[in-house]
Amino acid sequence: MVELAATGIAGLDTVLGGGLVRDSTVLVSGNPGTGKTILGIQYLYNGVQEFDEPGVYLTFEEDESDIREAAESLGFDEWGSFVENGDIAVYDKGLLLREQSFSTTLEELLAEFERTQYDRLVVDSLTMLSLFFETEREKRTYLLKLSDILKENGLTTLFVAEQGSRFPGHEVGLEHFLTDGNISLIQAPTDSGVNRYVWVAKMRKRPIKTDIFPIDIGEGGITVHDRASGFSLMGDEDVF
């Protein structure tokens, strides 16, 4: 039987058939503003609060204080306490982009993963991480090696990535093939604002619901609704 790590995100675990496959690597992609960072924060917060599973947040673009403010603005009031007591470790751009070689920094992180028992990891973002590789071959080799190391250390990992095209599938990068699962966050403009959706395109070893489901983002983070919904990029709900 496949062991699962529930995200604790309302509705998402239903779409996933119970949660993420434990020790897997899952790509979370989408345009700016679709909620990728929120999903990562929520995944780690729920891990500690609901499942007693400590986690790590790696961010190449934000400071630790920015992540804390984002978490608290969503109602995750204990985020700061979780960080202070070590249940959530945050490695921000100040730590990750120090004036030493990046490979040395990653080696230090991997050593930390071996010393301390963590269950969950968020890497925000894989897009920034990819800038440190000169060729696609180097990127592929490193990501495969990194994925193996993370799994060996019992980490269920979300890799956050920016998506250039508006609709998933128009742009398929190498990381889509190297990860065990793909979750796409989508937003479509309407006359009254923006509609948001989630699409789980792939999850190895699990039966999943591959429809597109509407989501809301508000107090408490992301909520996935149980009604599958087709849509057009112009926001016409009757299309599909």
Side-chain angles (χ1 to χ4, degrees):
M1 181 177 295
V2 176
E3 188 177 356
L4 301 177
T7 67
I9 297 174
L12 182 58
D13 287 327
T14 300
V15 175
L16 291 168
L20 304 175
V21 174
R22 195 168 291 281
D23 302 341
S24 65
T25 56
V26 176
L27 181 70
V28 177
S29 60
N31 301 127
T34 50
K36 302 182 299 299
T37 295
I38 293 173
L39 192 152
I41 289 173
Q42 196 170 352
Y43 169 66
L44 292 184
Y45 189 83
N46 290 344
V48 175
Q49 187 179 60
E50 299 183 24
F51 308 110
D52 195 28
E53 296 186 358
V56 181
Y57 196 104
L58 305 185
T59 173
F60 293 89
E61 302 178 40
E62 305 285 350
D63 294 320
E64 189 277 332
S65 59
D66 297 325
I67 299 301
R68 179 180 297 207
E69 289 176 7
E72 292 176 347
S73 71
L74 294 164
F76 303 142
D77 298 330
E78 296 182 70
W79 178 275
S81 297
F82 291 160
V83 171
E84 289 167 9
N85 64 27
D87 288 327
I88 295 177
V90 177
Y91 293 84
D92 65 9
K93 64 182 182 181
L95 290 172
L96 295 174
L97 304 177
R98 289 175 295 184
E99 293 183 4
Q100 58 180 322
S101 71
F102 183 67
S103 60
T104 301
T105 300
L106 283 181
E107 287 175 6
E108 292 177 359
L109 283 173
L110 294 174
E112 173 65 16
F113 295 159
E114 292 179 351
R115 288 192 301 268
T116 306
Q117 179 57 51
Y118 296 109
D119 297 294
R120 303 183 178 212
L121 171 66
V122 174
V123 179
D124 189 359
S125 68
L126 190 60
T127 308
M128 287 292 295
L129 177 61
S130 298
L131 296 179
F132 294 95
F133 306 112
E134 294 183 359
T135 65
E136 283 294 294
R137 180 176 181 179
E138 182 183 1
K139 175 182 173 182
R140 177 187 178 87
T141 300
Y142 188 86
L143 289 180
L144 284 171
K145 179 181 178 182
L146 178 61
S147 295
D148 288 342
I149 292 173
L150 297 178
K151 292 175 183 180
E152 289 170 3
N153 284 277
L155 288 160
T156 306
T157 302
L158 297 183
F159 285 118
V160 174
E162 292 291 337
Q163 180 177 287
S165 61
R166 176 178 290 182
F167 190 79
H170 288 195
E171 178 185 272
V172 180
L174 180 64
E175 57 274 10
H176 286 77
F177 300 102
L178 298 183
T179 49
D180 299 307
N182 294 335
I183 298 175
S184 293
L185 298 178
I186 309 159
Q187 59 184 0
T190 70
D191 292 337
S192 57
V194 174
N195 289 340
R196 292 185 172 90
Y197 305 85
V198 63
W199 175 38
V200 180
K202 179 181 78 171
M203 196 64 59
R204 291 174 185 160
K205 302 179 183 179
R206 292 298 299 160
I208 56 174
K209 296 183 178 181
T210 55
D211 292 313
I212 295 174
F213 293 87
I215 67 174
D216 287 326
I217 299 177
E219 184 75 10
I222 292 173
T223 299
V224 180
H225 297 285
D226 60 4
R227 177 182 60 84
S229 173
F231 72 100
S232 77
L233 294 182
M234 299 307 294
D236 184 350
E237 294 292 344
D238 294 328
V239 175
F240 239 57

Short mmCIF file of all heavy atoms in Angstrom, two decimals, residues 35-64:
data_model
loop_
_atom_site.label_atom_id
_atom_site.label_comp_id
_atom_site.label_asym_id
_atom_site.label_seq_id
_atom_site.Cartn_x
_atom_site.Cartn_y
_atom_site.Cartn_z
N GLY A 35 -0.96 31.53 -6.56
CA GLY A 35 -1.04 30.96 -5.22
C GLY A 35 -0.01 29.88 -4.94
O GLY A 35 -0.16 29.12 -3.97
N LYS A 36 1.07 29.82 -5.71
CA LYS A 36 2.07 28.78 -5.54
C LYS A 36 2.75 28.86 -4.17
O LYS A 36 2.89 27.86 -3.46
CB LYS A 36 3.11 28.85 -6.65
CG LYS A 36 2.55 28.73 -8.06
CD LYS A 36 3.64 28.76 -9.10
CE LYS A 36 4.45 30.03 -9.11
NZ LYS A 36 3.61 31.24 -9.41
N THR A 37 3.19 30.07 -3.83
CA THR A 37 3.86 30.24 -2.53
C THR A 37 2.90 29.98 -1.39
O THR A 37 3.28 29.37 -0.38
CB THR A 37 4.45 31.66 -2.43
OG1 THR A 37 5.49 31.82 -3.41
CG2 THR A 37 5.04 31.91 -1.05
N ILE A 38 1.66 30.40 -1.53
CA ILE A 38 0.65 30.15 -0.49
C ILE A 38 0.47 28.66 -0.29
O ILE A 38 0.40 28.17 0.85
CB ILE A 38 -0.69 30.81 -0.87
CG1 ILE A 38 -0.54 32.33 -0.86
CG2 ILE A 38 -1.81 30.37 0.07
CD1 ILE A 38 -1.75 33.07 -1.40
N LEU A 39 0.41 27.91 -1.37
CA LEU A 39 0.24 26.45 -1.26
C LEU A 39 1.42 25.85 -0.50
O LEU A 39 1.25 24.98 0.36
CB LEU A 39 0.10 25.83 -2.64
CG LEU A 39 -0.37 24.37 -2.69
CD1 LEU A 39 -1.11 24.11 -4.00
CD2 LEU A 39 0.79 23.38 -2.56
N GLY A 40 2.63 26.32 -0.80
CA GLY A 40 3.81 25.82 -0.11
C GLY A 40 3.80 26.13 1.37
O GLY A 40 4.09 25.26 2.21
N ILE A 41 3.45 27.37 1.71
CA ILE A 41 3.37 27.76 3.12
C ILE A 41 2.32 26.93 3.85
O ILE A 41 2.54 26.44 4.96
CB ILE A 41 3.05 29.27 3.22
CG1 ILE A 41 4.25 30.11 2.79
CG2 ILE A 41 2.62 29.64 4.65
CD1 ILE A 41 3.97 31.60 2.69
N GLN A 42 1.16 26.78 3.23
CA GLN A 42 0.06 26.04 3.82
C GLN A 42 0.41 24.57 4.03
O GLN A 42 0.07 23.97 5.06
CB GLN A 42 -1.18 26.17 2.92
CG GLN A 42 -2.49 25.80 3.55
CD GLN A 42 -3.66 26.20 2.66
OE1 GLN A 42 -3.47 26.88 1.64
NE2 GLN A 42 -4.85 25.80 3.03
N TYR A 43 1.11 24.00 3.08
CA TYR A 43 1.54 22.60 3.16
C TYR A 43 2.45 22.38 4.37
O TYR A 43 2.28 21.40 5.12
CB TYR A 43 2.26 22.24 1.85
CG TYR A 43 3.00 20.93 1.85
CD1 TYR A 43 2.32 19.72 1.96
CD2 TYR A 43 4.39 20.91 1.70
CE1 TYR A 43 3.01 18.52 1.93
CE2 TYR A 43 5.08 19.71 1.66
CZ TYR A 43 4.39 18.52 1.78
OH TYR A 43 5.09 17.33 1.75
N LEU A 44 3.40 23.28 4.59
CA LEU A 44 4.30 23.14 5.73
C LEU A 44 3.59 23.43 7.05
O LEU A 44 3.78 22.72 8.04
CB LEU A 44 5.49 24.09 5.58
CG LEU A 44 6.48 23.79 4.46
CD1 LEU A 44 7.65 24.77 4.52
CD2 LEU A 44 7.00 22.36 4.54
N TYR A 45 2.76 24.46 7.06
CA TYR A 45 2.06 24.84 8.29
C TYR A 45 1.13 23.72 8.75
O TYR A 45 1.12 23.34 9.92
CB TYR A 45 1.26 26.13 8.04
CG TYR A 45 0.66 26.74 9.29
CD1 TYR A 45 1.43 27.57 10.11
CD2 TYR A 45 -0.67 26.53 9.64
CE1 TYR A 45 0.88 28.16 11.24
CE2 TYR A 45 -1.22 27.11 10.76
CZ TYR A 45 -0.44 27.93 11.56
OH TYR A 45 -0.98 28.50 12.69
N ASN A 46 0.36 23.19 7.81
CA ASN A 46 -0.54 22.08 8.15
C ASN A 46 0.25 20.85 8.60
O ASN A 46 -0.20 20.09 9.46
CB ASN A 46 -1.42 21.71 6.96
CG ASN A 46 -2.44 22.76 6.63
OD1 ASN A 46 -2.72 23.65 7.45
ND2 ASN A 46 -3.02 22.69 5.44
N GLY A 47 1.41 20.66 8.00
CA GLY A 47 2.24 19.52 8.37
C GLY A 47 2.58 19.52 9.84
O GLY A 47 2.53 18.48 10.51
N VAL A 48 2.93 20.70 10.36
CA VAL A 48 3.27 20.81 11.78
C VAL A 48 2.01 20.80 12.64
O VAL A 48 1.90 20.03 13.61
CB VAL A 48 4.09 22.10 12.05
CG1 VAL A 48 4.33 22.29 13.54
CG2 VAL A 48 5.40 22.06 11.29
N GLN A 49 1.05 21.64 12.28
CA GLN A 49 -0.12 21.83 13.13
C GLN A 49 -1.03 20.60 13.19
O GLN A 49 -1.55 20.25 14.25
CB GLN A 49 -0.93 23.04 12.65
CG GLN A 49 -2.08 23.42 13.57
CD GLN A 49 -2.82 24.63 13.06
OE1 GLN A 49 -3.35 24.63 11.97
NE2 GLN A 49 -2.84 25.68 13.87
N GLU A 50 -1.22 19.94 12.06
CA GLU A 50 -2.18 18.85 11.99
C GLU A 50 -1.56 17.45 12.05
O GLU A 50 -2.22 16.50 12.51
CB GLU A 50 -3.02 18.96 10.71
CG GLU A 50 -3.83 20.25 10.62
CD GLU A 50 -4.68 20.29 9.37
OE1 GLU A 50 -5.02 19.21 8.83
OE2 GLU A 50 -5.00 21.40 8.91
N PHE A 51 -0.31 17.32 11.59
CA PHE A 51 0.25 15.98 11.45
C PHE A 51 1.57 15.78 12.18
O PHE A 51 2.17 14.70 12.08
CB PHE A 51 0.44 15.67 9.95
CG PHE A 51 -0.79 15.89 9.13
CD1 PHE A 51 -0.86 16.95 8.22
CD2 PHE A 51 -1.91 15.09 9.28
CE1 PHE A 51 -1.99 17.18 7.46
CE2 PHE A 51 -3.05 15.31 8.53
CZ PHE A 51 -3.10 16.36 7.62
N ASP A 52 2.01 16.79 12.91
CA ASP A 52 3.26 16.70 13.67
C ASP A 52 4.43 16.31 12.78
O ASP A 52 5.26 15.47 13.14
CB ASP A 52 3.12 15.69 14.83
CG ASP A 52 4.24 15.82 15.85
OD1 ASP A 52 4.80 16.92 15.99
OD2 ASP A 52 4.57 14.81 16.51
N GLU A 53 4.49 16.93 11.60
CA GLU A 53 5.56 16.67 10.64
C GLU A 53 6.33 17.96 10.37
O GLU A 53 5.82 18.86 9.70
CB GLU A 53 4.98 16.12 9.33
CG GLU A 53 4.31 14.76 9.48
CD GLU A 53 3.87 14.17 8.14
OE1 GLU A 53 4.06 14.84 7.10
OE2 GLU A 53 3.34 13.05 8.15
N PRO A 54 7.54 18.08 10.89
CA PRO A 54 8.34 19.29 10.67
C PRO A 54 8.77 19.42 9.21
O PRO A 54 8.83 18.44 8.47
CB PRO A 54 9.54 19.09 11.59
CG PRO A 54 9.64 17.61 11.77
CD PRO A 54 8.24 17.08 11.72
N GLY A 55 9.05 20.66 8.80
CA GLY A 55 9.39 20.90 7.41
C GLY A 55 10.40 22.01 7.22
O GLY A 55 10.76 22.73 8.15
N VAL A 56 10.83 22.15 5.97
CA VAL A 56 11.84 23.14 5.58
C VAL A 56 11.31 23.96 4.41
O VAL A 56 10.73 23.40 3.48
CB VAL A 56 13.16 22.46 5.16
CG1 VAL A 56 14.21 23.51 4.79
CG2 VAL A 56 13.67 21.55 6.27
N TYR A 57 11.53 25.27 4.47
CA TYR A 57 11.15 26.16 3.37
C TYR A 57 12.42 26.80 2.82
O TYR A 57 13.11 27.54 3.54
CB TYR A 57 10.19 27.24 3.86
CG TYR A 57 9.46 27.96 2.75
CD1 TYR A 57 8.13 27.67 2.47
CD2 TYR A 57 10.09 28.92 1.96
CE1 TYR A 57 7.45 28.31 1.45
CE2 TYR A 57 9.42 29.56 0.93
CZ TYR A 57 8.10 29.26 0.68
OH TYR A 57 7.43 29.88 -0.33
N LEU A 58 12.73 26.52 1.56
CA LEU A 58 13.86 27.17 0.88
C LEU A 58 13.31 28.20 -0.08
O LEU A 58 12.53 27.88 -0.98
CB LEU A 58 14.67 26.14 0.08
CG LEU A 58 15.24 24.91 0.78
CD1 LEU A 58 16.11 24.12 -0.19
CD2 LEU A 58 16.03 25.29 2.01
N THR A 59 13.71 29.46 0.09
CA THR A 59 13.25 30.50 -0.82
C THR A 59 14.43 31.28 -1.36
O THR A 59 15.24 31.82 -0.59
CB THR A 59 12.25 31.46 -0.14
OG1 THR A 59 11.97 32.55 -1.02
CG2 THR A 59 12.76 31.99 1.19
N PHE A 60 14.52 31.35 -2.67
CA PHE A 60 15.60 32.07 -3.33
C PHE A 60 15.22 33.52 -3.64
O PHE A 60 16.04 34.27 -4.14
CB PHE A 60 15.96 31.37 -4.65
CG PHE A 60 16.57 30.02 -4.47
CD1 PHE A 60 15.77 28.89 -4.41
CD2 PHE A 60 17.94 29.86 -4.36
CE1 PHE A 60 16.32 27.62 -4.25
CE2 PHE A 60 18.50 28.61 -4.20
CZ PHE A 60 17.69 27.49 -4.14
N GLU A 61 13.98 33.89 -3.35
CA GLU A 61 13.49 35.19 -3.77
C GLU A 61 13.00 36.07 -2.62
O GLU A 61 12.80 37.27 -2.82
CB GLU A 61 12.34 35.00 -4.77
CG GLU A 61 12.74 34.19 -6.00
CD GLU A 61 11.58 33.97 -6.95
OE1 GLU A 61 10.80 34.92 -7.16
OE2 GLU A 61 11.44 32.86 -7.49
N GLU A 62 12.79 35.50 -1.44
CA GLU A 62 12.22 36.25 -0.33
C GLU A 62 13.12 36.19 0.90
O GLU A 62 13.98 35.31 1.03
CB GLU A 62 10.84 35.68 0.04
CG GLU A 62 9.86 35.61 -1.10
CD GLU A 62 9.28 36.96 -1.49
OE1 GLU A 62 9.51 37.94 -0.75
OE2 GLU A 62 8.60 37.04 -2.53
N ASP A 63 12.90 37.14 1.82
CA ASP A 63 13.52 37.07 3.14
C ASP A 63 12.61 36.28 4.07
O ASP A 63 11.40 36.16 3.84
CB ASP A 63 13.72 38.48 3.71
CG ASP A 63 14.73 39.29 2.91
OD1 ASP A 63 15.76 38.71 2.50
OD2 ASP A 63 14.49 40.49 2.69
N GLU A 64 13.19 35.79 5.16
CA GLU A 64 12.42 35.04 6.13
C GLU A 64 11.25 35.87 6.66
O GLU A 64 10.15 35.35 6.87
CB GLU A 64 13.32 34.59 7.28
CG GLU A 64 12.68 33.61 8.25
CD GLU A 64 11.82 34.28 9.31
OE1 GLU A 64 12.11 35.45 9.66
OE2 GLU A 64 10.87 33.64 9.79
#
